[in-house]
Amino acid sequence: MNIRDKVLVVEDEKSISGFIKAILTTNGFDVITARTGGEAFSMISSHCPDLVVLDLGLPDIDGMSIIESVRRWTQLPILVVSARSYERDKVEALEKGADDYITKPFSAGELLARVRVAIRHTRLSNVSLASTGKFTAGELTIDYDKHQVLIAGENAHLTQNEFKIVALLGKCAGKVLTYDFIMKELWGPQSKGNNQILRVNMANIRRKIEKNPAEPQYIFTEVGVGYRMVEGD
Amino acid sequence: MDKIAEKLRRYFPLSLKGWAVFLLSMLVASGICILLHEVTTSDFHAPLIFVLVVLVVSLLTDGYFYGFLASLVSVFAVNWAFTYPYMKMDFSIYGYPLTFVTMLAVGVAVSTLTGRVREQEKIRMESEREKMRANLLRAVSHDLRTPLTAISGSISALLDEECAFDEQERRELLRNAKNDADWLCRMVENLLSITRISGDSVQGIAREEEMMEEVISEAVMNFRKRNPGVTVSVSVPETLLFVPMDAMLIEQVLLNLMDNAVMHGSRTTKIFIGVSADADFATVRVADNGCGIDLRLLDHLFDGSLPLTGGRSADNTRSMGIGLSVCKTIVEAHGGTIRAENRPGSGAQFTFTLKRKGDEP
């Protein structure tokens, strides 16, 4: 008997809830649904799902408060569904503790990819990383032991800060990390606000590891939100 | 209390410019009177010159304040300084009340007129903007009906038990429905972009320093998802290029241009995006290897007349017109320009610029 991951979909629009459920069920997930924030609260605590897909535009309770209160007692992964133009919503959701977001309209492939990444990261995720100390994606290799980043076997000669940034992204590969999150990890909790230094560092990293900095294959920018590294092999 | 204060502020605004105009006119008029006094013996020029001063001051300043002030000061200037008896006030001489009333009347009348003209200007600009928005809304709403009809029709055919389609036909219907739905999404994004511009502030957009390569790469990734068969190559300068912009809007411009290249280039398989910059402007070129732009349309792409052309390919032309109209509005809101041309050989090229400095358009 197969054990299936349980996903709670919190969405008030019947048609959207319907198609998310259809896609996930066909791909090996058990899906339960909630139409309102109130239902979501009770179902999360009673069912303890493996992942919550949460639409931010719920009629009764602000999605943010659901994230906040869930985070008070569990690290269960939360995937937020947002509309395209509201970057502030996405950033706020991520800062309150959501793991990732997906933008409407999205395809079945995108949804599945984000769901898998989110669940994987809460398990003892990077099994391969733990055993070999290396992260690989395409021709990119992050060697955590030697503190090196290699492209097609050649050392990319990253500076210390540049390496820290790439290493952080690699540990959370597939997940989006906000500018603020990365800034705090590298430059401390007082570093919020002006993220120019991070963006300049990232532009230099791109020039060292990407064939064409305007067509990245490894580190993607989500403008206004943060960065995301491609999933490992 | 507030309302009275508000009214006072509107009708009697104080400003540096107002004081400057007032003082300068007074000085010039006084100067002329003094000069003329040396030349002729009669004084009748004085009140006339100061009536002119009142006229000029009312014309060049906002509100009634400076006009009134000019009238008041002019009366005293004329009476005390420039007419007999000199350096003395004398209200007994016949004609002074009339002079004073005339000046005041001129002051009030001209101030009112100039105020009204300015109001009209503002109203006219507002109505222009409203008209543009209404036109765009009408054109887009009209365009929304076609794909919706197609989607609804295709899916109802698939649901109809009496229609027997084979696997290929079913996939075709579904694929068309998906394409139409995607097109609808793009139109909605264009609409939202328009509201984003005309939303709050006068100039309309909130700009942040963004890295050109990041904005372009996000737009290209978005485009590639929906058009996997088209090759997009991007070239940016080696040095980091930061440009103040609303990233979402500029991405919309890029998406519209790339979508147009595919939808209207008829055989486009390659798109090329190039970026260059100087101290004042960043320039972005979007070129394709399609069939190019119909020469008859080339001169009218951005002037808003495109949505209205009729004919067999009216729908196609209309959607291109909307996308380009939105591009033009966004680019101009950034202080830039956009133009289109056909490439030597085949294919079209669109070039737009973005202002690099500060907030002034």
Side-chain angles (χ1 to χ4, degrees):
Chain A
M1 192 192 96
N2 258 348
I3 299 180
R4 292 154 73 100
D5 283 323
K6 196 185 296 185
V7 177
L8 168 66
V9 178
V10 186
E11 169 64 67
D12 61 318
E13 290 283 336
K14 206 172 81 147
S15 41
I16 299 185
S17 176
F19 102 83
I20 294 180
K21 180 170 177 171
I23 295 173
L24 293 178
T25 313
T26 319
N27 282 275
F29 294 93
D30 265 342
V31 178
I32 49 179
T33 59
R35 279 277 144 70
T36 64
E39 272 181 50
F41 275 127
S42 55
M43 289 178 85
I44 292 176
S45 29
S46 54
H47 290 263
C48 292
D50 297 293
L51 171 81
V52 174
V53 176
L54 173 66
D55 179 12
L56 286 180
L58 291 173
D60 57 339
I61 302 179
D62 180 20
M64 302 295 173
S65 60
I66 297 183
I67 301 175
E68 275 177 320
S69 70
V70 165
R71 276 288 168 262
R72 270 189 220 120
W73 61 272
T74 174
Q75 285 307 305
L76 106 86
I78 301 175
L79 183 62
V80 155
V81 178
S82 69
R84 185 173 157 235
S85 355
Y86 301 127
E87 311 144 330
R88 224 148 277 144
D89 276 5
K90 295 177 206 165
V91 174
E92 200 190 328
L94 291 169
E95 288 180 345
K96 289 240 153 65
D99 291 75
D100 209 335
Y101 65 85
I102 188 163
T103 316
K104 293 193 272 213
F106 51 83
S107 67
E110 285 173 53
L111 175 66
L112 284 168
R114 294 284 157 90
V115 164
R116 290 199 179 114
V117 166
I119 291 188
R120 203 194 314 142
H121 278 296
T122 50
R123 302 281 153 73
L124 191 47
S125 48
N126 275 306
V127 175
S128 76
L129 173 57
S131 58
T132 65
K134 291 207 183 92
F135 167 88
T136 321
E139 300 198 318
L140 173 78
T141 306
I142 307 176
D143 191 332
Y144 284 89
D145 295 325
K146 293 202 191 129
H147 288 271
Q148 272 179 3
V149 169
L150 306 167
I151 285 288
E154 303 271 319
N155 194 338
H157 297 293
L158 297 186
T159 65
Q160 187 178 40
N161 275 340
E162 289 168 0
F163 174 78
K164 276 188 184 170
I165 295 172
V166 176
L168 186 58
L169 285 165
K171 282 215 195 88
C172 307
K175 220 173 88 139
V176 68
L177 299 180
T178 58
Y179 295 127
D180 274 346
F181 178 82
I182 303 176
M183 296 276 294
K184 274 196 267 199
E185 290 288 317
L186 256 84
W187 288 289
Q190 303 307 320
S191 62
K192 281 182 83 161
N194 189 349
N195 54 27
Q196 281 247 354
I197 181 172
L198 172 59
R199 295 165 66 188
V200 171
N201 265 298
M202 189 51 85
N204 290 330
I205 292 173
R206 270 201 291 269
R207 276 156 180 70
K208 290 183 185 170
I209 69 173
E210 305 278 3
K211 280 203 193 90
N212 181 352
E215 297 183 69
Q217 293 170 280
Y218 305 113
I219 301 181
F220 305 103
T221 310
E222 318 246 333
V223 178
V225 180
Y227 299 107
R228 185 194 302 268
M229 174 156 318
V230 69
E231 286 178 61
D233 297 334
Chain B
M1 205 49 228
D2 269 338
K3 274 189 110 178
I4 300 176
E6 183 60 45
K7 277 213 153 161
L8 279 174
R9 240 189 310 253
R10 244 191 52 179
Y11 291 125
F12 301 97
L14 295 172
S15 70
L16 212 57
K17 176 185 161 211
W19 284 115
V21 168
F22 169 73
L23 288 169
L24 200 62
S25 324
M26 282 294 161
L27 281 169
V28 169
S30 309
I32 295 178
C33 279
I34 292 174
L35 275 169
L36 285 175
H37 183 70
E38 302 298 320
V39 176
T40 91
T41 48
S42 81
D43 292 332
F44 80 89
H45 56 263
L48 292 178
I49 289 182
F50 278 92
V51 167
L52 275 179
V53 165
V54 171
L55 183 93
V56 166
V57 170
S58 307
L59 202 62
L60 296 178
T61 58
D62 292 327
Y64 297 103
F65 178 70
Y66 294 101
F68 278 3
L69 193 65
S71 313
L72 216 57
V73 174
S74 297
V75 164
F76 284 111
V78 166
N79 189 331
W80 187 74
F82 296 113
T83 51
Y84 181 88
Y86 302 107
M87 303 308 157
K88 216 155 74 154
M89 299 294 287
D90 183 352
F91 286 114
S92 62
I93 300 185
Y94 171 76
Y96 276 119
L98 188 60
T99 313
F100 185 51
V101 167
T102 312
M103 286 186 179
L104 207 60
V106 169
V108 171
V110 178
S111 297
T112 314
L113 279 175
T114 42
R116 213 171 282 172
V117 168
R118 254 181 228 118
E119 277 298 311
Q120 299 285 47
E121 238 336 275
K122 244 193 281 180
I123 293 175
R124 194 189 63 83
M125 282 199 39
E126 244 319 295
S127 87
E128 284 270 332
R129 239 186 297 175
E130 273 310 307
K131 225 189 288 177
M132 178 202 85
R133 235 177 281 171
N135 276 339
L136 224 43
L137 209 57
R138 203 178 308 127
V140 174
S141 310
H142 188 111
D143 269 11
L144 293 183
R145 268 200 292 224
T146 311
L148 281 170
T149 311
I151 293 171
S152 187
S154 297
I155 295 183
S156 72
L158 287 165
L159 285 171
D160 191 339
E161 277 150 7
E162 297 195 1
C163 295
F165 297 112
D166 64 36
E167 188 56 36
Q168 202 171 10
E169 285 166 332
R170 308 191 74 194
R171 286 205 82 81
E172 187 66 22
L173 283 170
L174 287 169
R175 208 186 333 259
N176 286 338
K178 172 86 170 57
N179 285 339
D180 284 322
D182 286 344
W183 190 94
L184 278 171
C185 280
R186 286 200 286 277
M187 267 309 122
V188 167
E189 293 299 337
N190 273 320
L191 278 174
L192 285 171
S193 298
I194 298 171
T195 54
R196 210 172 153 107
I197 299 179
S198 357
D200 327 301
S201 42
V202 178
Q203 188 44 28
I205 54 169
R207 279 183 281 185
E208 308 251 334
E209 292 277 338
E210 303 283 356
M211 223 185 278
M212 201 75 231
E213 63 201 47
E214 291 183 340
V215 173
I216 294 183
S217 69
E218 201 176 47
V220 170
M221 254 191 0
N222 202 326
F223 173 79
R224 277 204 185 111
K225 267 192 278 192
R226 292 180 277 108
N227 296 274
V230 180
T231 317
V232 183
S233 53
V234 184
S235 146
V236 290
E238 189 54 34
T239 50
L240 304 188
L241 183 58
F242 278 95
V243 180
M245 66 170 95
D246 180 323
M248 204 107 289
L249 291 177
I250 299 299
E251 280 185 37
Q252 189 61 37
V253 171
L254 289 162
L255 280 168
N256 281 352
L257 292 177
M258 287 190 278
D259 284 336
N260 275 354
V262 169
M263 284 196 293
H264 305 284
S266 78
R267 49 169 205 267
T268 305
T269 53
K270 291 205 184 91
I271 295 180
F272 168 76
I273 302 181
V275 179
S276 59
D278 58 36
D280 299 313
F281 287 98
T283 308
V284 181
R285 278 183 307 132
V286 180
D288 64 66
N289 68 345
C291 63
I293 306 167
D294 189 335
L295 287 170
R296 287 167 296 165
L297 301 174
L298 196 56
D299 291 323
H300 299 285
L301 284 178
F302 299 105
D303 63 12
S305 68
L306 219 46
L308 305 171
T309 49
R312 195 171 57 94
S313 53
D315 276 340
N316 237 0
T317 325
R318 207 178 1 242
S319 75
M320 174 163 69
I322 292 170
L324 291 178
S325 188
V326 169
C327 287
K328 177 168 189 253
T329 313
I330 295 176
V331 166
E332 288 183 350
H334 281 79
T337 56
I338 183 167
R339 68 168 199 277
E341 56 207 340
N342 279 320
R343 300 173 60 206
S346 81
Q349 175 172 287
F350 286 82
T351 311
F352 68 89
T353 59
L354 297 171
K355 217 181 203 322
R356 291 190 70 179
K357 301 252 159 46
D359 269 335
E360 327 87 54

